[in-house]
Every structure is written in structure tokens, then in C-alpha cells.
Amino acid sequence: MFRVDTLLIRRVKLFSSLTDAEIAEIINAPENGVEEYEMKANIFNEEEPGEHMYIVLEGVVGIYVGGEYSDKHGKRDTCITTIREGEYFGETAALTEKATKRTATARADAPSKVFKIHKKYVLNAAKYAKEVTGRYPPDEVRDTVLKLPLFKGLSRDEIHNIRDWALVVSHKAGVFIYKPGTPADGMYVILSGRVELLNLDENGNPVVTANEGPGEYFGEMAMLPKGRGKHNHFARTTADCRLIKIPRNIFTNLLNRDATLVDNITMVQNLRELKMKKPRSGSSDSLKSK
């Protein structure tokens, strides 16, 4: 029987504030435990409910998103990250009390052992870390959002419950996130990858107006008070991407609380235009055919 080391659990920042007794409770809880997977076996599937997070004890785990293209072997998935011994995955769905579906598939890329932790222990650890340290435990979604001045008006409840309303979505390279005329139901913050924003010139040729990377955001202009509620440009991934989607109602609430946000967002848009003084043109077929 594989014995889970207390120090291994403590290395995960989410659990670092817990006592040895509290970590022992997690290790010995009947809802948690060690699971073994053969190579290429799925640990969880995209779209299934997420009730656990996992720590890799042995082996290698790949995180995959569904492919939109096929070859002679059929439909293919894209690996967006690899998780190794001592690292963890699946925490996104476990950090919200709401029932949340997985946005990717986790698969053993080698014979693997993982320690499965039920979400109630994950949520308790997050709450405990906040009470003890006065800080929220590390979380890539919350930490990325809070670095942006745009979101300084979030309330404490909104920050604490960010996993209930900020959705992480994944796209492979070359995918259109939206096109002109698409209803603007949210804005996006880039966790990883790159996204280019494009318009068509008077001849119908695509012109890149911005090229955004991690920590930058886009898609907000259509939701401003003078916006039409629909996007007026193309947003296309130029690399495999993980994005945080901020729903329209959260964005609108922030605008209502802070009258200066509209001016700040307009300034960011002007900076984008200055940054791309010499925009690149591409083939119009590259837009029209996708």
C-alpha cells in the first residue's frame, strides 16, 4: 500500500498553513485516497463534474483539451500542460462550492499514482488559510485578475467566490474566440498563450490591431455603455491558450461602481492602437474560411 507523505501535502501552497493533524485527516479521510492509472488511462474527462483535486505521487499526467481537427487516426486532443511528481491538478473545479464541469481531460502519460482529495477538504483549507494568514491562498485565477487595476473594485465576497463566476476556458492555436457580430457575454484575461485582435480594412484584408499575452485582457469594449453589445472585431488564438472569462454582469457591476473605469479602458484601447502603429496584414482567406 502506498503511504502518502505529510510533507508532500504541505508542499502544496493551498495546504501549507494546516497542522500535521489536519493534513493527517486529509490523508486518512475515506473520500480521499491513492489511485493508480495505466499509461493513457483517463483520470477525469472534459465536461464531467469536478469533485476532486489531485497530487501526482508517481508518473506523469497530461492535461488535454478536445481537438477540432482530425487525421487518419481520428479526432486528436491537444496537451496544454504536463504535471509531474509533487505537482497538482484539477483544483479549478474543487475551489468552488457550485457544481462545476471539467474544462479539460486529465490522462496518465505514463503509469501513474495520484492522491485524490475531495473538494470539501480543498475548500476548508482555502478558508483556513485566509483566516490564519489574513491572505487568500495562492490561486492563479484570482491572483491574475487582482493584478489588473480594472478589477480593484471587486468586493470581498466576489474575490472569495471568484471560482464561482470566473470560468477558465482553453483553446488551441488558430481558433476564433469570437467574430464581428458575436454577442458580448463576457471579457477575457489571458492566463497563458497569445491572442491577436483583427479588423478588416477597406479591401477586406485582415489587419492585426493588437497582440495580447499573459496577464492582458480583451473583449471588454463591446460591453461599455456606448458599445453595441456585440464584438466588432475578430479575436484569434496564435498559440494554445488558457483564458479567464469574466461574465458580463460582473463587468457591468464594476462599471457602475467606478465611473473612471470607462476612461481607463478607453486609455488601454488607445495604447493598443499606439503599440500597433504598423499593423500586420494577412490573407483575407485566413479569416473568411474559418
Side-chain angles (χ1 to χ4, degrees):
M1 182 178 178
F2 193 99
R3 181 175 178 81
V4 180
D5 187 354
T6 299
L7 291 177
L8 178 68
I9 305 297
R10 192 179 299 285
R11 287 193 200 105
V12 177
K13 289 183 179 180
L14 181 64
F15 303 112
S16 61
S17 300
L18 300 181
T19 65
D20 287 348
E22 289 166 332
I23 291 178
E25 181 183 359
I26 292 174
I27 292 174
N28 297 318
E31 303 98 325
N32 308 332
V34 177
E35 295 186 344
E36 298 187 35
Y37 294 90
E38 297 179 355
M39 185 172 178
K40 296 186 179 180
N42 284 358
I43 298 169
F44 57 72
N45 296 306
E46 191 172 349
E47 293 296 324
E48 76 179 28
E51 293 293 326
H52 300 84
M53 69 170 283
Y54 302 80
I55 302 173
V56 178
L57 304 176
E58 292 181 0
V60 180
V61 174
I63 307 299
Y64 293 82
V65 294
E68 296 185 358
Y69 64 96
S70 301
D71 59 17
K72 63 181 180 180
H73 301 295
K75 192 173 182 180
R76 299 183 61 184
D77 293 339
T78 300
C79 183
I80 58 173
T81 190
T82 299
I83 314 298
R84 302 185 184 277
E85 292 180 19
E87 298 177 333
Y88 59 92
F89 61 98
E91 77 284 359
T92 299
L95 278 166
T96 172
E97 294 181 358
K98 293 183 178 179
T100 304
K101 292 184 178 180
R102 301 288 187 186
T103 59
T105 294
R107 183 176 304 149
D109 286 346
S112 300
K113 289 186 177 72
V114 300
F115 183 59
K116 180 178 71 173
I117 305 174
H118 191 274
K119 69 188 301 179
K120 74 177 183 181
Y121 296 95
V122 179
L123 290 167
N124 284 342
K127 181 179 179 182
Y128 179 81
K130 176 66 172 67
E131 292 173 348
V132 170
T133 66
R135 301 188 303 271
Y136 293 99
D139 179 274
E140 65 171 347
V141 172
R142 188 202 60 247
D143 295 345
T144 300
V145 168
L146 291 183
K147 286 178 182 176
L148 299 172
L150 178 64
F151 297 101
K152 65 181 181 180
L154 288 173
S155 68
R156 290 178 61 86
D157 285 344
E158 287 168 336
I159 295 171
H160 182 71
N161 298 316
I162 195 165
R163 290 288 185 155
D164 291 340
W165 53 263
L167 176 67
V168 177
V169 296
S170 299
H171 296 283
K172 67 176 185 176
V175 170
F176 285 96
I177 299 165
Y178 56 75
K179 298 181 180 181
T182 303
D185 59 353
M187 63 170 287
Y188 298 86
V189 182
I190 303 174
L191 281 173
S192 63
R194 297 201 71 85
V195 174
E196 61 180 9
L197 308 182
L198 309 101
N199 278 315
L200 296 179
D201 63 19
E202 61 274 13
N203 297 317
N205 296 316
V207 176
V208 177
T209 58
N211 195 326
E212 309 290 16
E216 297 179 302
Y217 61 89
F218 62 95
E220 77 288 354
M221 295 300 293
M223 297 186 295
L224 294 179
K226 294 183 180 180
R228 299 185 301 115
K230 295 182 179 180
H231 296 292
N232 63 0
H233 59 276
F234 298 86
R236 179 173 61 186
T237 60
T238 57
D240 293 345
C241 286
R242 294 175 66 240
L243 310 171
I244 305 169
K245 185 174 183 180
I246 309 295
R248 185 187 184 104
N249 67 304
I250 294 291
F251 181 79
T252 301
N253 286 341
L254 288 174
L255 291 181
N256 291 337
R257 294 174 204 167
D258 188 350
T260 65
L261 277 183
V262 174
D263 292 337
N264 292 340
I265 293 170
T266 302
M267 181 181 68
V268 169
Q269 178 63 19
N270 291 338
L271 289 174
R272 283 176 181 158
E273 294 174 357
L274 288 173
K275 188 170 61 174
M276 303 299 293
K277 285 182 179 179
K278 296 181 179 180
R280 299 182 287 116
S281 293
S283 167
S284 58
D285 290 340
S286 64
L287 292 181
K288 294 179 180 178
S289 63
K290 296 185 177 183

